[in-house]
Amino acid sequence: MSVTLWNSRFSVTLVRQHATILTSTTTLAANSLYYTINSFQPQQRRNLTKIMKPANTALSDKGARRTSQQSGRNPTKNLQAGRNSLESSTSDTGVNVPPFNHPHCDRQAMYQQPVRKVKPLRGNYDYDLVVIGGGSGGLSCAKEAVAHGARVACLDFVKPTPLGTKWGVGGTCVNVGCIPKKLMHQASLLGEAVHEAAAYGWNVDDKIKPDWNKLVSSVQNHIKSVNWVTRVDLRDKKVEYINGLGSFVDPHTLSAKLKSGDRTITAQTFVIAVGGRPRYPNIPGAVEYGITSDDIFSLDHEPGKTLVVGAGYIGLECAGFLKGLGYEPTVMVRSIVLRGFDQQMANLVAAAMEERGIPFLRKTVPLSVEKQSDGRLLVKYENTETGEVDSDVFDTVLWAIGRKGLVDDLNLHNAGVMTHKDKIQVDCEETTNVPHIYAVGDIIYGKPELTPVAVLAGRLLARRLYADSELRMDYVDVATTVFTPLEYACVGLSEEDAVKTYGAEEIEVFHGYYKPTEFFIPQKSVRYCYVKAVAQRSGEQRVYGLHYMGPVAGEVIQGFAAALKSGLTIPTLMNTVGIHPTTAEEFTRLSITKRSGLDPTPASCCS
């Protein structure tokens, strides 16, 4: 649900933390197989370092760089401290093993580690590469590997939801994620635009309203066309598509459950790209009567009055387009809105939705869902602060409380692959603790769960394996957009993370409200149209993060994302001539800082 970020061949890149890589070798016995585990302990330095990044420059891990906890100068002492302090990973074999933590390091240190090279051993295995998972990351990896001469198979299988929803090849994004979400969002924006058209002189019938069944049919027809094109593309590129549920028998063997029976498949290399599925809460009636984002885009009846449980981006996006289509969504928030995002921006998003008539039940958790005799759903819920229990009746209950990695059916213990909760830990080359088994996409631990991230990571992995490339995936400063009615897009650090990393006195926040030209005539609210740049206070004033709320947010932030990754500074931003009249130009007009206390509201649009 975001945008693909290509790595420039030569760019100035900011490394916000050095790391000392300490590598130890420990032998893991699992099913009589032995694998090498690397452990590390990063230092807690946050020095500002500028380096030139060539085409194959190593790329750092955002989480490790920004959340280091230990410091010290004795390698042995640091290594032992790292083993004791980091949460243990476990192999499903039950073998006691030390914590598995590959070195997530800075760009310079990472390239001290040579890229692994895999030579296809034709004839020894059925395939050079088997990709488990037919989503965006797996497919991009499979197609790229074939383009460089590998023999590749791709396994894909979708378990139906409790409601019975299932779909074709292409993964979450195509079938129940980015694509149908954006189409529903567009439908809601069009409804809003139709009513605004009257202010621009169009004669519009006030009785205009959406047809849910027609909308769903149109969306599903498009998805099915993409499924078909994907199957044809795999066939043309000589990727063998296997519609079956794969699980490991041993480190080089899979068992695939097909409609026609079981099939045994061997491969030299595996890439796990199975992604995740929505979670259900452990309360009475949740599974029986609730739906998730896996169901909403193909729902065969109008959702009506809908309770959306969860205030992450999926929940807010669903609530937003339902409101735009004329339904009555309510958002239930357990703790905070848009966890992991800049909280000033998150609260602006919620406030903008409330202004449009979407109520929020804050500090509230569901207790049960009961189906009444009239078919409607009685939901009981509790305020976590006051303990007060209340209830309301809804037509639809949509769970958006997070996603679970699909590791359970893989029998990873047979291959010796270790997991962390419901995810798989990988190093800076997407390698698991088993050297010939890799993972990309939403299934890996601690990386952005975004389609373009999976696509690029899968493609770069295939190039390293089969095309002598040394370019690694850069998981830092990935841009993303939340497609709420008033969209929010960002790239880089949130204000909170910048303060944690560098200290409040070293951060300068430039911000401003603005008035989109297209909002003037229909007199749309401009109260929450806002931009800010989080930057270094002194020196060259490097930009650490950009945040935007307004129309077409993703289109606006994409270009700035490339600039930020190339070393954008505040002076450069201020000396860039904007395109007028656009909303994107507001970044070039930023001059007021939060520290100054001046009013960031503009007086005019053209001076």
Side-chain angles (χ1 to χ4, degrees):
M1 294 188 179
S2 178
V3 287
T4 303
L5 299 178
W6 295 98
N7 297 287
S8 58
R9 287 193 174 270
F10 293 93
S11 62
V12 179
T13 305
L14 180 68
V15 177
R16 301 178 183 121
Q17 175 184 335
H18 294 298
T20 299
I21 306 304
L22 305 172
T23 305
S24 66
T25 304
T26 304
T27 303
L28 166 65
N31 295 334
S32 301
L33 298 166
Y34 298 87
Y35 302 104
T36 298
I37 304 170
N38 295 317
S39 61
F40 81 105
Q41 182 59 39
Q43 292 184 349
Q44 196 187 9
R45 291 189 233 162
R46 292 187 172 93
N47 297 333
L48 197 63
T49 304
K50 184 172 67 176
I51 63 171
M52 292 300 296
K53 180 171 75 69
N56 63 350
T57 300
L59 306 170
S60 66
D61 178 88
K62 182 176 182 180
R65 175 166 56 80
R66 291 175 181 157
T67 60
S68 301
Q69 297 298 318
Q70 299 290 335
S71 63
R73 301 184 182 276
N74 186 314
T76 305
K77 182 178 180 181
N78 278 354
L79 180 57
Q80 188 60 44
R83 287 177 173 171
N84 293 337
S85 64
L86 295 171
E87 182 176 354
S88 296
S89 298
T90 58
S91 170
D92 291 334
T93 58
V95 177
N96 292 326
V97 296
F100 169 54
N101 286 279
H102 280 291
H104 298 298
C105 45
D106 65 46
R107 289 168 168 81
Q108 291 174 320
M110 182 185 293
Y111 259 78
Q112 295 173 7
Q113 306 173 65
V115 174
R116 299 178 186 87
K117 297 297 180 181
V118 175
K119 292 184 178 180
L121 304 176
R122 297 185 183 279
N124 293 355
Y125 301 100
D126 298 333
Y127 301 95
D128 301 318
L129 173 67
V130 167
V131 177
I132 309 172
S136 302
L139 293 177
S140 69
C141 183
K143 290 187 286 187
E144 188 70 22
V146 163
H148 296 291
R151 301 169 299 161
V152 181
C154 179
L155 275 74
D156 183 53
F157 184 83
V158 178
K159 286 187 174 181
T161 71
L163 190 66
T165 308
K166 55 185 179 180
W167 50 87
V169 67
T172 296
C173 177
V174 166
N175 294 283
V176 291
C178 317
I179 301 305
K181 178 275 303 291
K182 183 69 180 292
L183 295 175
M184 292 283 192
H185 175 63
Q186 176 66 9
S188 72
L189 293 181
L190 286 174
E192 191 173 293
V194 166
H195 290 92
E196 292 169 7
Y200 280 97
W202 288 87
N203 294 318
V204 179
D205 187 348
D206 290 337
K207 295 182 180 179
I208 290 176
K209 66 176 185 177
D211 183 328
W212 174 263
N213 291 329
K214 185 175 182 180
L215 172 59
V216 167
S217 177
S218 297
V219 169
Q220 291 302 312
N221 286 340
H222 172 71
I223 291 172
K224 287 178 173 59
S225 71
V226 176
N227 296 150
W228 171 254
V229 169
T230 302
R231 290 288 297 272
V232 172
D233 189 41
L234 291 175
R235 182 193 64 193
D236 292 346
K237 287 182 167 59
K238 310 302 181 184
V239 176
E240 182 176 352
Y241 173 75
I242 302 172
N243 185 212
L245 182 64
S247 61
F248 281 96
V249 176
D250 62 47
H252 286 282
T253 308
L254 280 181
S255 174
K257 294 183 179 180
L258 314 176
K259 289 183 179 180
S260 58
D262 291 355
R263 174 182 170 185
T264 299
I265 300 169
T266 63
Q268 181 193 14
T269 305
F270 292 91
V271 172
I272 302 170
V274 293
R277 296 286 287 273
R279 296 181 183 274
Y280 289 81
N282 186 24
I283 62 172
V287 176
E288 297 89 337
Y289 306 123
I291 66 170
T292 69
S293 57
D294 283 355
D295 305 298
I296 186 66
F297 304 113
S298 58
L299 200 62
D300 61 5
H301 60 273
E302 290 187 295
K305 182 181 177 182
T306 302
L307 175 65
V308 179
V309 182
Y313 71 91
I314 294 174
L316 297 189
E317 288 174 340
C318 290
F321 71 67
L322 288 175
K323 181 64 178 180
L325 293 171
Y327 302 109
E328 302 174 58
T330 296
V331 179
M332 182 176 288
V333 188
R334 178 178 61 87
S335 54
I336 63 174
V337 174
L338 290 177
R339 182 180 300 279
F341 289 84
D342 185 285
Q343 281 304 290
Q344 181 197 6
M345 305 304 294
N347 290 328
L348 287 175
V349 170
M353 294 179 69
E354 288 178 302
E355 183 184 57
R356 289 170 179 257
I358 302 175
F360 280 65
L361 295 173
R362 296 180 184 271
K363 305 294 181 182
T364 303
V365 295
L367 299 177
S368 65
V369 181
E370 302 173 20
K371 192 169 187 177
Q372 300 186 144
S373 58
D374 61 359
R376 303 189 76 199
L377 303 175
L378 174 66
V379 180
K380 295 180 180 178
Y381 48 85
E382 178 184 15
N383 185 293
T384 57
E385 289 186 335
T386 65
E388 181 181 356
V389 175
D390 205 344
S391 65
D392 200 352
V393 177
F394 299 90
D395 299 301
T396 303
V397 176
L398 191 154
W399 307 115
I401 59 173
R403 298 176 66 82
K404 182 182 186 299
L406 297 179
V407 296
D408 292 344
D409 294 319
L410 296 176
N411 287 337
L412 293 174
H413 61 278
N414 288 339
V417 176
M418 293 184 293
T419 60
H420 181 78
K421 298 179 180 178
D422 56 5
K423 301 289 179 131
I424 298 174
Q425 284 185 308
V426 297
D427 65 5
C428 52
E429 293 182 18
E430 288 76 47
T431 316
T432 70
N433 61 295
V434 181
H436 67 278
I437 300 178
Y438 300 80
V440 297
D442 292 3
I443 194 61
I444 64 178
Y445 176 74
K447 299 295 191 295
E449 296 185 14
L450 299 166
T451 294
V453 170
V455 169
L456 185 54
R459 186 176 294 128
L460 293 177
L461 171 58
R463 290 174 184 171
R464 292 197 304 275
L465 291 176
Y466 303 108
D468 293 324
S469 172
E470 293 188 352
L471 188 62
R472 295 171 167 98
M473 178 65 193
D474 186 356
Y475 291 97
V476 178
D477 296 333
V478 175
T480 190
T481 298
V482 182
F483 290 97
T484 41
L486 188 65
E487 298 172 5
Y488 164 49
C490 61
V491 61
L493 290 176
S494 66
E495 186 174 342
E496 295 92 341
D497 284 345
V499 169
K500 288 178 183 177
T501 303
Y502 302 106
E505 292 304 313
E506 299 300 321
I507 296 297
E508 196 75 86
V509 178
F510 296 80
H511 69 145
Y513 290 90
Y514 66 96
K515 300 175 182 179
T517 303
E518 56 269 37
F519 283 22
F520 289 156
I521 290 179
Q523 298 183 13
K524 292 181 65 174
S525 172
V526 297
R527 184 178 180 184
Y528 300 105
C529 295
Y530 177 79
V531 296
K532 75 173 177 179
V534 181
Q536 180 186 13
R537 187 180 181 187
S538 58
E540 61 185 351
Q541 291 187 289
R542 186 65 58 86
V543 175
Y544 297 143
L546 293 171
H547 302 265
Y548 169 96
M549 270 191 70
V552 292
E555 311 298 337
V556 169
I557 215 69
Q558 175 67 96
F560 286 108
L564 185 142
K565 290 180 73 69
S566 298
L568 179 66
T569 65
I570 290 296
T572 300
L573 196 59
M574 289 183 174
N575 285 308
T576 298
V577 177
I579 302 172
H580 188 70
T582 65
T583 57
E585 71 172 319
E586 298 302 327
F587 277 118
T588 70
R589 301 175 64 180
L590 288 174
S591 60
I592 295 174
T593 67
K594 285 188 175 182
R595 184 176 275 105
S596 72
L598 297 176
D599 183 5
T601 305
S604 64
C605 67
C606 300
S607 62

